[in-house]
Amino acid sequence: MNRMDVTEKIITAKVSKGITWESVAKKVGHSKEWVTAGCLGQMTFDEKAAKIIGKIFGLNAEEQKWLQVVPYKGSLPTPVPTDPLIYRWYEIVSVYGTTIKELIHEEFGDGIMSAIDFSMDIVRTPDPKGDRVNVVLSGKFLPYKTY
């Protein structure tokens, strides 16, 4: 057994039971974005959250312990993603990455946006030309230090 086995079990139960990530997140008490990342093996749950996840998805005690192990982060199987939706994110970063970098540096200085002190919100926004996917990424600015 490993973390990937637990992730597969979670996804299988989600599909078979018709569970939504939003409903899981409400029971855990965190955002749907963070809880989904955790269920997909990219975040670490504490014991309390692992027990809640375990109850929802029918995980045994050992599987719940795997939810509490710090994962190897990065879930894409190839350097250039082939899934169309994930590829579009890759394309966005390829096309707009230098623009994002330039504008962050102009506004904040030399540093990075944290992916650790970070939050994400994904909402559907109605639009007469077709609903929009509204993604807000919010990370703490971490300046490079001089030494």
Side-chain angles (χ1 to χ4, degrees):
M1 163 131 339
N2 61 45
R3 185 59 181 91
M4 290 181 78
D5 295 331
V6 176
T7 298
E8 287 182 25
K9 186 170 181 179
I10 287 171
I11 292 169
T12 299
K14 179 188 181 298
V15 172
S16 68
K17 295 179 179 181
I19 298 168
T20 66
W21 294 123
E22 187 168 5
S23 69
V24 175
K26 284 181 182 176
K27 289 176 183 170
V28 173
H30 294 298
S31 75
K32 69 181 181 295
E33 294 80 8
W34 190 86
V35 170
T36 303
C39 288
L40 295 177
Q42 296 300 303
M43 297 294 159
T44 308
F45 291 110
D46 63 19
E47 185 177 0
K48 180 181 173 190
K51 285 183 179 182
I52 295 168
I53 297 290
K55 185 175 180 183
I56 294 167
F57 293 107
L59 304 179
N60 65 35
E62 180 186 355
E63 291 164 334
Q64 290 175 33
K65 286 182 182 179
W66 277 106
L67 297 176
Q68 299 170 63
V69 173
V70 177
Y72 183 88
K73 296 185 193 275
S75 59
L76 300 180
T78 58
V80 177
T82 56
D83 177 85
L85 192 141
I86 296 172
Y87 177 79
R88 290 297 166 240
W89 279 96
Y90 178 81
E91 179 182 39
I92 289 166
V93 172
S94 293
V95 173
Y96 293 102
T98 54
T99 300
I100 294 167
K101 176 180 169 41
E102 184 68 24
L103 292 172
I104 288 173
H105 288 309
E106 183 175 273
E107 179 71 23
F108 294 91
D110 188 12
I112 61 170
M113 183 178 95
S114 176
I116 295 169
D117 189 343
F118 176 85
S119 64
M120 172 175 41
D121 188 35
I122 300 172
V123 295
R124 181 183 201 136
T125 306
D127 187 290
K129 296 182 273 178
D131 288 358
R132 311 290 294 183
V133 178
N134 187 355
V135 180
V136 177
L137 307 174
S138 177
K140 178 180 179 182
F141 181 74
L142 302 171
Y144 285 102
K145 68 178 192 171
T146 302
Y147 56 95

